[in-house]
Amino acid sequence: MPAHSLPSLSTQITSDLCIKCNICASACPVAAAADRFPGPKAVGPQAQRFRHPRLPSPDKSLDYCSGCGVCSLVCPHGVQIAEMNAIARAEIFKRDGLPLRNWALGRSELLGKVGSLFWPLSNVPFKIKPLRVVIEKVMGIDARARFPDFSRGTFRAWFKRSAAAKRTMGARKVAYFHGCASNYYEPRIAQAAIEVFERNQIKVALPEQNCCGLPMQSNGDFESARVYARNNIRKLARWVREGYDIVGASTSCTLAIKHEYHAVLGIDDPALELVATNTYDIFEYLAMLDDEGLLNTRFVKRAETVVYHAPCQQRTHGFGRPAADFMRRFGFAVIESKADCCGVAGTYGLKKEKYDIAVAVGQPLFQQIADENPNRVVCDSETCRWWIEAHTGKKAVHPIEVMAEAYRGRRQ
Amino acid sequence: MAYDILIIGAGLSGLFAGCLAARRRKKTLLLARGVGGTHIGAGTIGVADDPSLVKRPPPDHPYAAVGKKSMQAALDEFRIICAEAGYPMRGEPGKNFSLPTATGAARHACLIPETMIAGDLSRPEPFALAHFPGFRDFSAAFAAANIRLQITNHQLPIALPLPHLPIHRDSYATDIARLFDRPDYRNEVIAAWEPSLAGAPKRIGLPAALGLQCALEAKRHIESALGLELFEIPILPPSVPGLRLFNLLRDDFQNHGGRLIIGPTVKGRIENGTAAVSADTNGRVKDYKAEVVILASGGFLNGGLIAKFDGAIHDSVFGLPIEAPAQRSAWTSEHFLGPHPFAKFGLRVNKTLQPLDANGKPAAPNLRAIGSILAGADRLSEGSREGIELASAWRAVETTA
Ligand SMILES: Cc1cc2nc3c(=O)[nH]c(=O)nc-3n(C[C@H](O)[C@H](O)[C@H](O)COP(=O)(O)OP(=O)(O)OC[C@H]3O[C@@H](n4cnc5c(N)ncnc54)[C@H](O)[C@@H]3O)c2cc1C
Ligand code: SF4
Ligand code: SF4
């Protein structure tokens, strides 16, 4: 197994590495779109000096940070700006109380459970304009923000019925982390992942699991996020000990497990280290198999032009963009997005005071998609896909769906 | 996947090496922890304030290792890449422009973007400096007072109002540049400036923020509408002219098939005489295979060199030791702005740009070092920073042919 490296400096201490070069400020997509946000250097390492339990809070504008992580990537000095901001935001809510909206937006698992129970009725309320206006007034969730439809039946239910679960093949074993989106809204993505594993003779198991906790974390509810994180660590560690790798197609869920449980939620225990070092984004995993010559590469070539947007969370993983390379091997013309962020950043763009900022952040991407006018947009993150669909009218799919098609030789 | 060339660092030298390698159809990967010096530099190319440095460099200077031929070839190819991107660099090697800095001093560079051409201090036409009220990163009055000590053809500074500056916070140069990219905004600016320009000279210096994507278009648009010449003066970071260079080199690299990953911290090791590289991908260390590794991780400022409190200095990727006096007091000289010994600290290399170990032998035959990590140059006092970056990048890629 590869060596592990949890960061040795605590996240907040990295503010001392800042040389005030403003590189992060020039890259932050929110600062570029909104002057209410002074930028990563100001709310990150600069404000950090003034964060003290007995001093007035310097964090008047911090909540405008979308958490996209672009700043942490470009900083040449290893300042963990985005992570620092997330921690500071949670401190504010601990002090002032968590708004109902943030509580609700963090509860994707609860929402999913209720939504699938009452399917298809559960899809209706989100489409009733007057109700949305009331929700906007009461909770501050923008009435214009589009919500995805609950699917008929969850991925877990499908998996238990499907043959894939029973067919045990190959020495390589994956315990699949589906996340809330694939389970309640888009089972097709997890199904495509299972299909790709089958084509590679990888044995798949479906571990007990919870929401990764990222929606709670980014809405400032660290206490709940830690409960979910600890549950996942406990439930997943069992599988790792039995020789399974944890793989997921929701790139923000796997990033939460690999990086944020430790760097943002501050969890420090050997079980996390075990789980984190054995958790992979699905394309990180497939690229690794490919490097080792273990991937089935009998792709049926087919010409299609797509725009591929590597979402900010995908880039924070730091393994490049293997999905784009794979699609080229499928015969695709892949136009890579020039945008750092689509704007929505999880649940950020759904909030009333942030909706317009999020749309402005996404504008360069929406424009590029309009100019290129591809058949489909490809993107690894669910909230980004929904946001891109809502603002471009284009179908947005996960690269794993495209890969399943490439094995099958046809589009679904 | 095994790469032909793996480059560590996304500053001017790493990016330029990436472009050269990708253009020569090498399978190239560039890894960097963050972006580099482009964003804090002036966005111009200085080779040497004194041309004899290139002709007769001291034996331990990077110019002695790379050779004159590399310098010429590097500057030529750099100009081609910039021109193809629609952002031509003007000037020629061996002849320096003298340009005003934000403090009103004169600095030298041999290749400069068209947005700075009209700032040439040797030109006789009168000029004035302008500041944008509300934008605090440039004071025309301060710069002008200094310029007055040196030359006489400048006139009193003027104020040019900018509409739609941020009101809830200070502006960054990038805020202004993004506004200038929009033709509708420029029309507003033209209308707003016209009254302030009555009686002003026809040559105006401005803080460097004339557009990020379409700087030339912005400059020409405003110039032709107002019948004058504009020139940019580099200011505090973030450097807009530097960002333009970063963007165009990055795009050129990627358009030629180069792979770029910004974010992970890279660790190198030398195994059986071969440089090997791995990167921290947020949770797991991933190995990368490459025929040749080019180390472009910069000097002290960008983290390529690390000085410990005990006086030991090493490079941050491979941990190669750097020669320096044991007494830290010997690293600096008395004068803050004077030459300092530490400026010359760095990796010593041979003519193949292979870093040398204590015995003068290559540390690893497949390793090259380029840019600000190289020993033997006082870049600030020589005016040689970008010349070293470009020429060493060119030479390193040539050695892999
Ligand atoms: C990248 C960059 C380039 C610049 N280039 C130029 C230039 O070329 N020319 C120019 O004129 N200006 C330049 N400036 C601006 C110039 O550096 C600053 O204006 C100047 O340093 C401000 O001085 P200061 O003493 O007020 O604060 P600083 O130099 O910022 O010093 C503040 C000190 O206080 C310490 N401190 C802060 N909080 C605490 C605490 N809670 N406890 C203990 N210590 C604390 C800090 O560690 C630091 O030592 C530049 C700035 C930057 C960021
Ligand atoms: S990029 Fe890093 S070092 Fe530079 S200002 Fe931002 S946090 Fe500080
Ligand atoms: S995380 Fe994104 S929005 Fe927040 S400061 Fe960093 S770059 Fe800006």
Side-chain angles (χ1 to χ4, degrees):
Chain A
M1 277 295 116
H4 186 45
S5 68
L6 289 179
S8 51
L9 283 178
S10 95
T11 300
Q12 290 102 317
I13 287 288
T14 63
S15 63
D16 276 10
L17 302 173
C18 174
I19 64 153
K20 308 286 181 273
C21 64
N22 267 338
I23 285 174
C24 53
S26 69
C28 170
V30 172
D35 74 345
R36 291 191 175 275
F37 186 56
K41 179 183 82 172
V43 301
Q46 216 140 272
Q48 189 62 33
R49 291 174 169 183
F50 298 97
R51 289 184 183 125
H52 188 279
R54 287 194 301 278
L55 291 177
S57 164
D59 291 328
K60 298 271 180 295
S61 50
L62 167 76
D63 196 39
Y64 281 100
C65 166
S66 77
C68 69
V70 169
C71 49
S72 297
L73 288 184
V74 297
C75 173
H77 297 279
V79 183
Q80 297 200 327
I81 314 159
E83 293 84 346
M84 196 181 295
N85 293 354
I87 293 171
R89 183 191 344 254
E91 286 299 315
I92 298 180
F93 290 139
K94 210 159 103 187
R95 191 193 63 206
D96 300 348
L98 191 71
L100 172 64
R101 173 189 65 190
N102 289 41
W103 183 89
L105 287 177
R107 294 295 178 291
S108 51
E109 182 176 310
L110 183 64
L111 189 69
K113 279 186 179 150
V114 175
S116 22
L117 203 61
F118 293 104
W119 188 90
L121 274 182
S122 47
N123 284 326
V124 178
F126 292 99
K127 300 199 170 66
I128 303 176
K129 269 273 135 67
L131 182 59
R132 290 296 304 272
V133 173
V134 174
I135 294 179
E136 178 174 307
K137 286 256 159 14
V138 178
M139 288 181 70
I141 296 176
D142 200 285
R144 292 166 291 176
R146 198 151 102 191
F147 279 77
D149 280 347
F150 294 105
S151 83
R152 174 184 192 169
T154 63
F155 165 71
R156 293 189 76 87
W158 173 86
F159 187 85
K160 285 188 187 124
R161 284 197 313 271
S162 88
K166 279 139 213 138
R167 262 177 259 156
T168 50
M169 308 164 289
R172 209 172 258 276
K173 298 184 288 187
V174 160
Y176 191 67
F177 193 87
H178 48 66
C180 301
S182 273
N183 198 31
Y184 300 114
Y185 302 103
E186 302 178 319
R188 61 166 211 275
I189 289 166
Q191 286 159 0
I194 304 302
E195 188 178 337
V196 169
F197 291 138
E198 281 197 284
R199 300 258 181 191
N200 284 283
Q201 264 99 58
I202 293 169
K203 178 176 172 179
V204 193
L206 193 61
E208 288 299 318
Q209 57 190 277
N210 292 96
C211 169
C212 67
L214 182 63
M216 294 165 197
Q217 174 194 306
S218 57
N219 277 291
D221 183 1
F222 275 24
E223 261 170 54
S224 313
R226 284 194 190 106
V227 171
Y228 278 71
R230 292 221 165 84
N231 280 336
N232 279 325
I233 296 168
R234 183 168 42 77
K235 290 171 179 172
L236 297 175
R238 263 190 45 213
W239 292 90
V240 176
R241 288 194 194 98
E242 288 176 26
Y244 283 78
D245 296 317
I246 313 295
V247 181
S250 174
T251 200
S252 49
C253 301
T254 50
L255 183 69
I257 298 171
K258 280 169 63 180
H259 174 58
E260 312 207 334
Y261 282 2
H262 173 74
V264 178
L265 296 179
I267 299 175
D268 230 338
D269 77 47
L272 170 58
E273 183 143 345
L274 181 72
V275 171
T277 45
N278 289 288
T279 297
Y280 299 80
D281 172 85
I282 194 159
F283 273 92
E284 177 182 23
Y285 197 69
L286 295 170
M288 186 181 75
L289 294 188
D290 189 35
D291 276 351
E292 292 167 16
L294 299 174
L295 192 77
N296 166 4
T297 54
R298 287 187 300 277
F299 306 123
V300 183
K301 289 215 171 188
R302 196 172 57 77
E304 182 179 336
T305 300
V306 292
V307 168
Y308 173 60
H309 175 65
C312 41
Q313 285 113 350
Q314 193 276 347
R315 274 175 297 135
T316 299
H317 278 281
F319 55 74
R321 303 174 173 198
D325 295 338
F326 275 120
M327 288 190 285
R328 290 191 181 98
R329 281 159 71 183
F330 308 155
F332 281 37
V334 181
I335 299 158
E336 292 193 47
S337 138
K338 290 198 196 312
D340 280 330
C341 179
C342 74
V344 75
T347 56
Y348 179 86
L350 310 181
K351 295 168 185 166
K352 182 171 157 32
E353 75 284 8
K354 293 169 184 131
Y355 181 87
D356 289 323
I357 298 175
V359 173
V361 168
Q363 213 53 54
L365 175 62
F366 307 152
Q367 190 60 51
Q368 192 187 1
I369 292 171
D371 293 345
E372 303 289 357
N373 193 25
N375 270 327
R376 300 185 287 181
V377 177
V378 183
C379 175
D380 312 64
S381 155
E382 50 276 0
T383 51
C384 308
R385 282 194 302 273
W386 302 335
W387 185 251
I388 292 168
E389 287 188 342
H391 291 277
T392 64
K394 292 277 177 200
K395 175 101 187 118
V397 298
H398 191 289
I400 200 66
E401 298 177 78
V402 179
M403 186 144 179
E405 290 166 9
Y407 282 126
R408 245 183 270 141
R410 59 184 157 76
R411 268 178 75 171
Q412 197 143 34
Chain B
M1 176 156 35
Y3 292 92
D4 297 324
I5 299 185
L6 187 152
I7 300 164
I8 303 161
L12 185 63
S13 59
L15 281 170
F16 183 55
C19 294
L20 298 175
R23 280 173 171 251
R24 284 154 181 70
R25 302 187 178 281
K26 303 274 189 192
K27 210 149 115 202
T28 310
L29 172 68
L30 195 157
L31 293 169
R33 178 168 64 186
V35 301
T38 46
H39 289 46
I40 53 179
T44 57
I45 305 301
V47 169
D49 289 351
D50 172 0
S52 69
L53 181 69
V54 183
K55 291 198 194 91
R56 287 175 302 278
D60 57 353
H61 194 278
Y63 283 165
V66 299
K68 281 193 279 290
K69 187 189 117 231
S70 305
M71 174 65 76
Q72 184 64 47
L75 295 177
D76 287 347
E77 203 155 344
F78 181 72
R79 278 201 294 192
I80 291 172
I81 294 173
C82 295
E84 284 181 10
Y87 188 69
M89 298 293 279
R90 305 284 182 213
E92 51 193 284
K95 265 177 73 179
N96 275 333
F97 291 98
S98 180
L99 301 165
T101 70
T103 60
R107 67 188 184 89
H108 305 286
C110 71
L111 297 185
I112 66 177
E114 204 166 295
T115 57
M116 296 182 194
I117 283 283
D120 185 350
L121 288 173
S122 69
R123 280 175 51 175
E125 304 94 317
F127 68 93
L129 303 185
H131 81 279
F132 303 142
F135 177 58
R136 302 205 291 181
D137 284 3
F138 177 67
S139 162
F142 176 65
N146 254 336
I147 290 183
R148 196 169 308 149
L149 302 176
Q150 306 155 60
I151 51 171
T152 53
N153 61 339
H154 84 286
Q155 299 185 1
L156 285 180
I158 56 173
L160 293 175
L162 279 188
H164 310 308
L165 282 189
I167 48 174
H168 296 289
R169 61 160 160 85
D170 277 333
S171 331
Y172 299 109
T174 40
D175 291 321
I176 298 177
R178 290 187 186 105
L179 288 170
F180 272 113
D181 279 340
R182 293 168 24 197
D184 59 327
Y185 182 76
R186 300 198 292 263
N187 286 329
E188 255 186 88
V189 162
I190 290 162
W193 286 4
E194 213 153 13
S196 318
L197 288 165
K202 295 289 171 206
R203 233 179 117 202
I204 306 282
L206 314 161
L210 272 180
L212 210 47
Q213 315 283 342
C214 344
L216 291 194
E217 201 183 303
K219 173 180 185 284
R220 290 175 190 152
H221 179 180
I222 300 169
E223 284 180 336
S224 68
L226 293 171
L228 42 71
E229 277 185 294
L230 298 177
F231 61 93
E232 292 191 306
I233 300 173
I235 52 171
L236 294 177
S239 159
V240 169
L243 263 114
R244 292 179 200 137
L245 286 183
F246 176 87
N247 290 343
L248 81 85
L249 292 173
R250 176 199 58 197
D251 290 351
D252 188 82
F253 175 57
Q254 293 188 311
N255 291 341
H256 285 87
R259 299 295 142 81
L260 176 69
I261 308 181
I262 292 190
T265 298
V266 177
K267 281 283 161 222
R269 57 197 185 279
I270 292 171
E271 282 170 356
N272 312 322
T274 305
V277 166
S278 59
D280 176 356
T281 60
N282 263 333
R284 195 171 14 256
V285 174
K286 179 172 166 59
D287 285 326
Y288 286 97
K289 291 192 187 66
E291 294 285 315
V292 175
V293 175
I294 298 181
L295 186 61
S297 46
F300 290 109
L301 184 59
N302 283 308
L305 294 177
I306 296 191
K308 295 279 180 59
F309 286 109
D310 64 8
I313 304 179
H314 59 82
D315 100 273
S316 64
V317 176
F318 287 92
L320 299 171
I322 307 286
E323 269 174 52
Q327 281 289 333
R328 281 178 76 115
S329 56
W331 295 2
T332 49
S333 61
E334 257 174 47
H335 300 285
F336 178 66
L337 294 175
H340 292 285
F342 74 78
K344 294 191 176 183
F345 294 173
L347 290 173
R348 290 185 308 119
V349 291
N350 60 18
K351 286 189 185 309
T352 311
L353 299 187
Q354 291 160 323
L356 303 176
D357 63 19
N359 306 319
K361 294 259 168 341
N366 71 330
L367 182 63
R368 310 282 182 276
I370 63 173
S372 294
I373 200 170
L374 296 177
D378 186 339
R379 293 158 177 84
L380 200 60
S381 54
E382 295 166 1
S384 59
R385 179 179 301 281
E386 297 85 14
I388 294 171
E389 288 170 0
L390 296 183
S392 60
W394 195 92
R395 172 67 188 142
V397 173
E398 189 195 28
T399 66
T400 68

